[in-house]
Amino acid sequence: MNLIAVVDASIKKEGLQDLTMKRTVSSVPFAGRYRLIDFVLSSLVNSGVNTVGVFPCYPLASLLDHIGVGKSWDLDRRKNGLYFLPVTQRDGGISSVGAFAGFEEHLQFFTKSSQPYVIVTNSFVVTQLDYKDMLEKHIKSGADFTEAVSNGVQLKTYILSKDLLVELLQTYLDKQVVSVEDVVNLKKSPYTFNEYEYEGYFAVIDSIQSYFEASLDLLNEDKREQLFLANRPIFTKVKDEPPTRYVSGSHVERALIANGSTIMGTVTDSLISRGVYIKKGARVENCIIMQKSTVEENCDLAYVIADKEVYIGEGVVLHGTPERPIVLRKGASVSKEDLR
Amino acid sequence: MNNKVVAMLLAGGQGSRLKSLTYTIAKPALPFGGKYRIIDFPLSNCTNSGIETVGVLTQYQPHVLHSYIGLGTPWDLDRRHGGVTMLPPFAEIDGNKWYAGTASAIYQNITFLQSCDPEYVLILSGDHIYKMDYEVLVDYHKEHDADVTISVLEVPWEEASRFGVINVDDQMKVLEFDEKPENPKSNLASMGVYVFTWKKLKEYLEADNLIEESSHDFGKDILPAMMENGEKMIAYPFKGYWKDVGTVDSFWEANMDLLDLNSGLNLHDSGWRIYSSNPQLPPQVINRTGNVQSSMVNEGCVISGEVTKSIIFQKVVVEENAQISESVIMSGATVHKGAKLHRAIVPPGFEVPEGFEIIDQQDKVVLLTDEEVEKWKERGEQ
């Protein structure tokens, strides 16, 4: 395919702070068994893109551990494949997608590739974009930039020619622009712009509120069927978890549950990640419980987001609201005594 | 463990008593436990025991096994040194040679074994469900300075006559073999897991190959010959869950054992993980009308009916008002609205029609086939 991709995973979202103390936005867990970056990587490989540069930000460990050499996406290749391209951390940083200052540090990634087009995208917008189709429309339009939009919402995904990108990397300071997103938003002359209308699933994850809504939205069959397409599977790091075990006395209604969990209590309208323990008599409603968390006996949780490895002690009652879910940070431990 | 141990995994068996479950796949490839295939257990035991060189001997319907095991990646057996090697029968200058028995399968791969240059050879079977640390077994073999060590399991006395029974002295030295004895003198059953000192094994394999009337079988020929010659044979007492899933009933039982927290077979033990290929599927969905109790459910399932005491493989769809109990539903099967299944085994991809019920079941375990569906249709027309 005559397209290389850049996943700008360096964007920070203030609103997601509780979930990004020890990880980047791109490695925030989503939909039970995935990280946000899985969706863009999967869409790219499902569209036939086999050269992907990931621009991460710090802290890197969680993202590196998750992506590795790209094996889960068949991006561990001799020719092309996955490139991990960390950039110097700058104070303040740039919060728009496709920052030239970062790309500049890896100019060779662009100049050495033989493909004539570049897709610049991000990991906080979850889509099932068909980049191949987008490229075809881009070429047809003859425009310099094509931007993906859905019902007027910007998906922060752009296609341009590699030559144009390299030219911008050499002149962006003079032109007073900072990023691909910036150029497109300014409709900077002398360039021409085209929009690609996308109709499938999308969710912009930029706050706890939007994260919570998009997550619970997946309990709706129509949403789920838009995101989990049989011919465009979402790939993620393999964990070898056994099937989930439902113990006698469990009650589960309308839930999305990943493997390796043990359900003894009651779960309704919730998302449960891998390796979670819901003990006897516990009630979990409208919650997101992430990997390896434990909900002890007789807890009562509603509108709670429990990050990875959270321990919720026996009998704890926590009720958030749909607008303001309670977030328990990674590794937190909550007991009845704490709440008094 | 050093790489002087090579495991040879016998995976050529048909498992004819499993009926239509093994018409097109070898028994070791049989799906088990909602996610696994039987061969995952010995392969994962190798990984967890630090055995890095494994030969897999295939013969009956090998294609699924070969593509499933591939380079051995799920078991960390895709290695530069050692790793997994698939060993189907092959043609030689003096003709084609099928594996006539368990021993001949190993004999015909002597060249492979010599290239590995092992000190010990571990003979495993691809038919059994168990978790075992082979490193402990090999250490035991070394400590006893044995020529062969046979792993044995205490079975209930009334069942002993179904097994190859091993009689031992108080030092665990093997005194006698009894293949399926009428009146067993011991309740120690051979698990079909052996450690041989390679030099000895080679000697006996070569000798056995020259005996025309030999059935070239470990239990029937090699071990008795070693016994006769007074080689040092030791029994290793294995404690833990072990099951030969040779029949439809025992296959069903072993699956049900997974739901019994006291059965000794725990897949949720992260200290001894069973590895398997991982199809990339979304999480399972339990819908508003669904209800799951005392069951195991894998990824990619959509459950809108009632499931109790059952094992549900990946990508199974259970529609509204369907009722499933004490059953095993294999990957990609669909149980349509209102169907009732009790003690059923549903093969991969099978469509259980709307309103289906098993005819004349009593308490038997029923493997669903097109004939069962026909029977039900005919009953409906009467």
Side-chain angles (χ1 to χ4, degrees):
Chain A
M1 190 152 183
N2 52 354
L3 183 69
I4 61 170
V6 170
V7 177
D8 187 346
S10 69
I11 308 293
K12 293 182 176 171
K13 293 286 173 195
E14 283 292 303
L16 281 171
Q17 202 195 3
D18 281 328
L19 296 176
T20 53
M21 306 293 286
K22 287 177 182 150
R23 58 166 85 90
T24 61
V25 172
S26 55
S27 49
V28 166
F30 188 67
R33 61 190 293 272
Y34 304 97
R35 303 295 183 119
L36 284 178
I37 197 161
D38 293 344
F39 296 89
V40 62
L41 289 180
S42 300
S43 302
L44 285 167
V45 299
N46 286 332
S47 304
V49 179
N50 59 26
T51 307
V52 180
V54 174
F55 283 77
C57 64
Y58 295 83
L60 291 176
S62 154
L63 186 62
L64 259 178
D65 172 59
H66 183 71
I67 304 182
V69 293
K71 199 170 183 56
S72 293
W73 299 269
D74 279 341
L75 287 170
D76 55 332
R77 307 169 73 103
R78 249 160 232 237
K79 190 167 179 272
N80 300 323
L82 180 80
Y83 296 82
F84 211 68
L85 307 167
V87 298
T88 323
Q89 219 173 358
R90 290 189 172 78
D91 286 343
I94 290 161
S95 60
S96 67
V97 173
F100 297 130
F103 288 5
E104 204 183 4
E105 291 183 33
H106 294 284
L107 191 60
Q108 284 205 342
F109 171 72
F110 301 100
T111 53
K112 276 198 169 174
S113 69
S114 56
Q115 295 94 327
Y117 294 97
V118 184
I119 183 135
V120 177
T121 183
N122 67 83
S123 55
F124 64 90
V125 185
V126 178
T127 71
Q128 268 284 13
L129 262 168
D130 182 347
Y131 298 97
K132 194 171 166 227
D133 186 52
M134 184 173 167
L135 176 64
E136 279 163 17
K137 303 272 159 63
H138 170 74
I139 294 171
K140 230 183 204 169
S141 76
D144 294 318
F145 290 84
T146 292
E147 177 190 19
V149 293
S150 190
N151 285 325
V153 177
Q154 294 181 305
L155 303 179
K156 313 250 172 159
T157 297
Y158 314 94
I159 291 182
L160 66 162
S161 74
K162 188 184 74 185
D163 292 343
L164 176 54
L165 181 63
V166 170
E167 182 210 304
L168 279 164
L169 291 180
Q170 285 155 353
T171 59
Y172 73 95
L173 290 174
D174 295 336
K175 291 196 164 94
Q176 306 269 323
V177 286
V178 294
S179 67
V180 177
E181 181 181 349
D182 193 26
V183 175
V184 172
N185 285 350
L186 290 171
K187 298 277 181 288
K188 188 86 179 165
S189 64
Y191 306 117
T192 53
F193 300 88
N194 172 44
E195 277 189 359
Y196 174 77
E197 185 68 36
Y198 164 74
E199 284 175 350
Y201 176 95
F202 80 93
V204 181
I205 311 294
D206 53 4
S207 65
I208 292 296
Q209 180 58 30
S210 59
Y211 175 80
F212 190 69
E213 256 174 42
S215 297
L216 292 195
D217 237 8
L218 291 174
L219 296 171
N220 296 321
E221 196 174 347
D222 54 333
K223 275 281 178 208
R224 214 165 48 231
E225 284 179 352
Q226 279 185 324
L227 180 58
F228 297 117
L229 306 169
N231 56 349
R232 294 176 70 89
I234 312 297
F235 304 102
T236 187
K237 185 185 174 187
V238 158
K239 290 275 193 209
D240 288 296
E241 295 282 1
T244 278
R245 169 165 76 163
Y246 297 82
V247 178
S248 158
S250 69
H251 184 86
V252 180
E253 250 183 62
R254 201 164 172 265
L256 203 63
I257 301 183
N259 265 358
S261 292
T262 302
I263 314 288
M264 302 167 135
T266 299
V267 177
T268 45
D269 302 291
S270 295
L271 282 84
I272 309 289
S273 292
R274 302 198 261 206
V276 167
Y277 240 101
I278 309 280
K279 300 261 175 94
K280 265 187 196 146
R283 296 183 63 83
V284 174
E285 271 182 53
N286 293 294
C287 289
I288 302 171
I289 312 290
M290 294 190 209
Q291 209 177 312
K292 290 194 176 142
S293 285
T294 301
V295 179
E296 277 293 349
E297 289 183 15
N298 304 318
C299 283
D300 180 359
L301 309 180
Y303 300 101
V304 170
I305 301 175
D307 201 332
K308 267 179 80 174
E309 287 153 20
V310 163
Y311 180 84
I312 303 171
E314 202 188 324
V316 166
V317 179
L318 283 174
H319 286 184
T321 64
E323 296 74 33
R324 292 198 60 143
I326 294 169
V327 183
L328 302 171
R329 287 181 182 176
K330 186 176 169 185
S333 179
V334 191
S335 70
K336 262 201 293 202
E337 288 68 35
D338 296 337
L339 296 174
R340 255 176 218 151
Chain B
M1 194 185 280
N2 65 44
N3 55 11
K4 292 300 177 194
V5 181
V6 171
M8 295 293 266
L9 177 45
L10 297 160
Q14 178 185 352
S16 53
R17 287 172 301 160
L18 287 158
K19 300 180 185 165
S20 58
L21 287 174
T22 53
Y23 283 175
T24 57
I25 54 169
K27 182 175 160 190
L30 185 64
F32 177 81
K35 165 168 182 175
Y36 307 93
R37 293 183 188 267
I38 295 176
I39 199 165
D40 289 336
F41 287 81
L43 281 176
S44 301
N45 287 342
C46 284
T47 308
N48 291 326
S49 307
I51 291 176
E52 298 171 349
T53 309
V54 182
V56 179
L57 299 114
T58 59
Q59 178 155 286
Y60 174 80
Q61 290 283 11
H63 300 114
V64 170
L65 266 182
H66 282 236
S67 77
Y68 179 69
I69 294 175
L71 302 173
T73 309
W75 307 274
D76 275 346
L77 288 170
D78 51 336
R79 310 180 73 94
R80 239 168 251 269
H81 294 286
V84 70
T85 307
M86 301 305 287
L87 302 167
F90 51 91
E92 281 182 62
I93 201 89
D94 48 354
N96 299 345
K97 289 180 178 164
W98 293 103
Y99 299 151
T102 50
S104 83
I106 306 295
Y107 172 77
Q108 285 175 48
N109 287 292
I110 274 189
T111 322
F112 166 76
L113 277 165
Q114 266 168 334
S115 72
C116 301
D117 189 25
E119 269 174 52
Y120 306 101
V121 173
L122 180 62
I123 305 291
L124 304 171
S125 152
D127 298 354
H128 303 146
I129 305 289
Y130 65 116
K131 300 201 281 188
M132 180 175 186
D133 191 338
Y134 301 137
E135 187 174 12
V136 174
L137 172 66
V138 173
D139 286 347
Y140 182 92
H141 176 82
K142 287 186 208 166
E143 275 161 31
H144 287 77
D145 201 20
D147 295 310
V148 58
T149 300
I150 303 165
S151 186
V152 296
L153 178 83
E154 245 180 77
V155 293
W157 278 95
E158 61 272 21
E159 284 179 32
S161 56
R162 285 174 41 220
F163 294 94
V165 168
I166 311 281
N167 302 329
V168 295
D169 67 12
D170 53 2
Q171 301 294 307
M172 291 308 275
K173 197 164 168 278
V174 178
L175 301 174
E176 204 184 351
F177 291 100
D178 262 342
E179 190 63 23
K180 299 187 180 158
E182 253 175 64
N183 298 303
K185 288 181 217 155
S186 133
N187 66 337
L188 295 178
S190 167
M191 296 161 61
V193 173
Y194 318 109
V195 187
F196 286 93
T197 301
W198 169 230
K199 261 196 214 149
K200 272 286 181 238
L201 176 61
K202 189 167 167 253
E203 209 176 283
Y204 278 88
L205 287 173
E206 281 168 345
D208 176 72
N209 183 54
L210 299 174
I211 303 169
E212 246 176 64
E213 60 274 21
S214 169
S215 53
H216 308 299
D217 185 90
F218 277 105
K220 291 191 195 113
D221 306 291
I222 301 288
L223 295 175
M226 289 180 80
M227 178 104 259
E228 204 165 297
N229 293 340
E231 307 290 0
K232 191 164 184 193
M233 307 175 81
I234 297 289
Y236 167 80
F238 171 75
K239 301 244 181 312
Y241 184 93
W242 179 87
K243 194 149 202 151
D244 179 0
V245 284
T247 63
V248 171
D249 281 342
S250 66
F251 171 75
W252 175 82
E253 276 167 27
N255 274 287
M256 291 302 115
D257 284 343
L258 288 171
L259 303 175
D260 176 359
L261 296 178
N262 303 316
S263 71
L265 180 59
N266 177 12
L267 296 176
H268 284 245
D269 169 13
S270 58
W272 200 270
R273 188 129 275 178
I274 303 303
Y275 300 98
S276 181
S277 81
N278 286 273
Q280 296 267 12
L281 296 168
Q284 55 202 269
V285 178
I286 315 294
N287 278 325
R288 186 75 78 199
T289 55
N291 188 11
V292 183
Q293 285 217 19
S294 306
S295 295
M296 277 176 77
V297 182
N298 197 7
E299 288 164 345
C301 290
V302 180
I303 311 289
S304 312
E306 216 167 284
V307 176
T308 38
K309 292 191 184 163
S310 295
I311 301 284
I312 314 288
F313 281 71
Q314 67 270 20
K315 281 170 47 179
V316 165
V317 176
V318 178
E319 294 185 350
E320 279 173 46
N321 298 319
Q323 286 176 22
I324 299 173
S325 58
E326 297 180 30
S327 294
V328 179
I329 318 290
M330 293 195 189
S331 63
T334 303
V335 181
H336 286 286
K337 281 180 191 148
K340 285 192 180 65
L341 297 173
H342 176 70
R343 298 204 170 177
I345 298 173
V346 179
F350 200 87
E351 300 261 340
V352 180
E354 194 174 327
F356 175 82
E357 271 179 80
I358 297 167
I359 302 299
D360 299 331
Q361 180 174 20
Q362 284 121 23
D363 236 8
K364 288 188 308 253
V365 173
V366 172
L367 170 60
L368 280 205
T369 55
D370 293 338
E371 290 83 69
E372 286 293 336
V373 174
E374 282 308 311
K375 259 202 314 203
W376 166 75
K377 276 188 189 156
E378 278 164 27
R379 181 66 61 96
E381 280 158 14
Q382 278 167 19

